[in-house]
Amino acid sequence: MIITVEGLHKSFGKLEVLKGIDCAVAEGEVLCVIGPSGSGKSTFLRCLNFLESFKEGHVTISGHNLTGAKTNLNAVRRDVGMVFQSFNVFPHMKVIDNIMLAPMKVGKVSRADARSRGMALLEKVGLTNKADVYPSTLSGGQMQRVAIARALAMEPTVMLFDEPTSALDPETVGDVLDVMKKLAEEGMTMVVVTHEMGFAREVADRVLFMDAGLIVEEGTPAQIFESPQHARTQAFLSKLL
Amino acid sequence: MVGLMDFVQYLPPLLRGAGLTLVICVAAGVLGSLIGVVFGTAKASPCFIARAISSLYVNFIRGVPILIILLFTYFALPLMLPALTFSRGFTAVVGLSVYSGAYMAEIVRGGIQAVPKGQSEAAEALGMHYFTRLRYVIFPQAMKIAVPPGIGFLIALVKASSLVSVIGFVDLTRAGRIVTTLNQEPLLTFLIVGALYFVISYPISLLGTWYERKLA
C-alpha cells in the first residue's frame, strides 16, 4: 500500500473536521473522494502531504511516516505532488519557469535538464506553444494544466488533486480531465477530491463517499454509483443526477 | 528688495545643502529599506522570537517622534556610552535609517502577507524550504505590492530629513535658514528651498512608476 491512513482525526480549534479516517491506497490506484461541502474531503487530502497538520492518527505515504520524528516534510512533498482548486500558478514567472523552479531549486537539477523535462511535460499537457508566456494570458483550464505539469516536474509517486476542475468553466473542464485520465492510464497513483462524477465513474478504481468528517461508504464506482448502500450516499447522489 | 542677480551668490550654499540632503536621504533610504526587509520578513515569519524582536523594534520606533530619535542619538547617547559619539552627518543617517527601517518593515510585512496563501502552499507542496519559497515565490510578489507605499514613504523621508537641521547638520533646510539671516529674503530663499526639495523628491516618484512598470 503506497498510502495508509489510520485513525486520522483533525480539528480546527474546537471544530472536529475529521472524526477518524481509515483508508489505504495501492500503487497505481485512482481513488476519488466525493461528498458534500464541509464533509472534510479537502482537509483529508491536505493531511496526506501535511499541508494540514494533525495530532491524532497515522499516515504513511510513499514510504514516509508523516508524524515520524525523523521525517523531513520537504522530502515527503518531493514524492507527493498536489494540484489545487485555485491553480496557484506563480504569476511572476513564465510558464516554463514555473515548471522548472522546483526541480532546479529543490531537486538540484541543471537548468538544461529542467528545461527539457519541462518541455516534455508541457507536451504531455498540450501546452508547448505556451512555454514562454506569463500565466496571466492563460485561461483557467490552461493554468490548471500548467499546474499539473509543475507538480509532475518533481517526478512524484503520488498525485493529489483538490477539486481540480471546480473553478473552471465547463468548456475547459474536459481538457483538464483528459490530462488526468492520461496520467491514470500511465499508472500514477492518484487521490482526487472531485465533484465530477463522470470522471469518478470512468477513471476511479475506488470511490470514497465522505460526510461530516467520516467515510460513510466506499467501493468501486459501480458499487457506489449504481447501488449505494447508505441512505446518505443515496441522498447525495440523487441530488446530482 | 534684493534683486534676483544678487541672489545668485546665495545659490552655492543652498545647492550644497541640497546635495547633503540628497546624500543622507539616499543613504537612509537604502539602509532603511534593508532594515525594513529584514525586520518585515521577521515579523511575517512563523518564528515567534523573530516576530517578537521585530515587533519591539517597530512599535518602539514608530511611537517616538523622529526629532526625539535624532536629539537622543546626538546628545544623549554619548552621555550613556562615550564610544557612541557620532558626527552630525553620521547621526543624521543613523537616526533616519533607524526611523525608516521601522516604517519600511511594516510595508514589507504587509506586502508579504498580501501575497495569496495559495502561492505559499503551492511552493510548499513542491517541497520548497521556507527561505526558498520566500526568495523565489513570495518576495517577488510581495515587493510588487510593497513598492507604491515604499516609494510614498521615501518621498516623506525627504521631507522628514529637514529635521536633521535641529542637531546642527547643514542640510537644505538649515542652509536656507542661514541664508535668510544673511540676505533677509525669506520669501525668495524658502521658495528656492521648496523647489529644491521638489527636485529631490519628484525623481523618487518617477523611480516608483518605472519600477512598477518593470515588474508588470
Side-chain angles (χ1 to χ4, degrees):
Chain A
M1 290 291 151
I2 200 169
I3 307 177
T4 58
V5 179
E6 284 157 18
L8 179 61
H9 289 259
K10 166 73 183 176
S11 301
F12 289 103
K14 290 217 172 84
L15 180 67
E16 195 180 19
V17 170
L18 295 177
K19 297 176 182 160
I21 306 285
D22 296 284
C23 176
V25 180
E27 198 168 344
E29 193 178 349
V30 175
L31 179 74
C32 280
V33 183
I34 64 172
S37 309
S39 55
K41 320 186 289 294
S42 287
T43 308
F44 165 57
L45 192 79
R46 288 159 64 94
C47 284
L48 294 181
N49 68 351
F50 219 68
L51 263 190
E52 299 292 350
S53 61
F54 54 87
K55 296 196 187 100
E56 198 184 330
H58 198 79
V59 174
T60 52
I61 183 161
S62 198
H64 303 275
N65 172 5
L66 288 185
T67 42
K70 293 201 193 120
T71 303
N72 178 351
L73 280 176
N74 293 316
V76 174
R77 290 156 184 165
R78 276 175 239 149
D79 289 332
V80 180
M82 188 160 201
V83 175
F84 299 84
Q85 182 176 343
S86 51
F87 334 132
N88 294 333
V89 174
F90 305 138
H92 58 294
M93 304 171 93
K94 293 186 194 158
V95 163
I96 188 69
D97 294 318
N98 255 273
I99 300 173
M100 285 163 65
L101 181 68
M104 288 200 303
K105 303 301 170 192
V106 179
K108 311 286 179 222
V109 173
S110 74
R111 179 171 280 272
D113 287 339
R115 194 177 174 96
S116 57
R117 199 192 286 185
M119 290 308 292
L121 286 168
L122 279 176
E123 188 170 345
K124 190 181 200 138
V125 304
L127 287 170
T128 38
N129 58 330
K130 299 286 182 186
D132 290 297
V133 303
Y134 283 92
S136 56
T137 62
L138 299 177
S139 72
Q142 290 170 323
M143 275 198 271
Q144 192 63 300
R145 284 185 276 155
V146 169
I148 295 174
R150 182 180 63 177
L152 290 173
M154 292 301 289
E155 299 183 334
T157 50
V158 179
M159 282 284 278
L160 305 176
F161 293 83
D162 189 358
E163 297 198 40
T165 56
S166 292
L168 298 174
D169 64 83
E171 292 153 12
T172 48
V173 166
D175 295 330
V176 174
L177 292 180
D178 285 339
V179 171
M180 291 168 65
K181 257 180 241 175
K182 220 196 302 191
L183 264 183
E185 278 157 24
E186 287 167 6
M188 174 66 78
T189 310
M190 294 162 60
V191 181
V192 184
V193 171
T194 186
H195 293 296
E196 292 289 328
M197 301 303 156
F199 175 82
R201 235 194 264 246
E202 203 187 319
V203 183
D205 295 303
R206 260 196 312 142
V207 175
L208 243 60
F209 172 67
M210 275 183 73
D211 191 15
L214 288 166
I215 297 176
V216 172
E217 198 169 339
E218 72 179 277
T220 64
Q223 287 169 337
I224 297 290
F225 291 113
E226 252 94 279
S227 48
Q229 301 293 304
H230 284 253
R232 266 187 292 176
T233 321
Q234 293 162 357
F236 177 72
L237 290 173
S238 68
K239 289 210 189 94
L240 300 167
L241 308 158
Chain B
M1 161 108 177
V2 178
L4 230 62
M5 281 297 104
D6 295 310
F7 191 87
V8 169
Q9 63 180 297
Y10 298 110
L11 278 181
L14 289 178
L15 289 174
R16 251 197 312 274
L20 285 173
T21 289
L22 186 63
V23 166
I24 61 169
C25 286
V26 167
V30 168
L31 281 171
S33 300
L34 287 169
I35 296 172
V37 165
V38 170
F39 281 90
T41 310
K43 202 148 186 253
S45 83
C47 172
F48 175 72
I49 298 175
R51 284 203 306 274
I53 296 177
S54 179
S55 292
L56 221 71
Y57 164 67
V58 169
N59 293 333
F60 177 65
I61 297 296
R62 294 205 310 173
V64 175
I66 169 138
L67 198 51
I68 303 297
I69 296 175
L70 288 166
L71 291 171
F72 189 85
T73 311
Y74 192 64
F75 293 114
L77 279 187
L79 296 175
M80 286 164 50
L81 240 97
L84 293 175
T85 310
F86 306 126
S87 68
R88 293 194 174 99
F90 195 80
T91 305
V93 171
V94 166
L96 288 176
S97 302
V98 165
Y99 171 74
S100 304
Y103 288 86
M104 288 299 228
E106 281 298 277
I107 291 172
V108 167
R109 178 184 70 89
I112 290 175
Q113 292 181 334
V115 177
K117 191 163 176 244
Q119 291 291 303
S120 185
E121 286 187 347
E124 205 179 336
L126 286 165
M128 287 189 214
H129 293 275
Y130 179 71
F131 286 108
T132 315
R133 300 204 286 273
L134 206 57
R135 182 173 168 194
Y136 294 104
V137 177
I138 306 299
F139 237 66
Q141 299 182 62
M143 283 306 107
K144 191 172 174 186
I145 297 169
V147 160
I151 292 293
F153 180 78
L154 288 176
I155 294 171
L157 180 66
V158 171
K159 286 164 277 177
S161 73
S162 60
L163 288 168
V164 302
S165 54
V166 150
I167 57 167
F169 184 73
V170 188
D171 72 323
L172 181 52
T173 300
R174 185 145 177 81
R177 294 174 72 188
I178 294 173
V179 163
T180 51
T181 61
L182 294 174
N183 67 9
Q184 302 300 315
E185 284 291 329
L187 175 60
L188 196 53
T189 310
F190 286 121
L191 226 63
I192 306 268
V193 166
L196 286 169
Y197 268 113
F198 180 81
V199 164
I200 297 174
S201 354
Y202 188 60
I204 300 177
S205 323
L206 294 177
L207 184 72
T209 314
W210 170 80
Y211 192 64
E212 270 186 84
R213 282 215 199 98
K214 186 178 163 221
L215 288 175

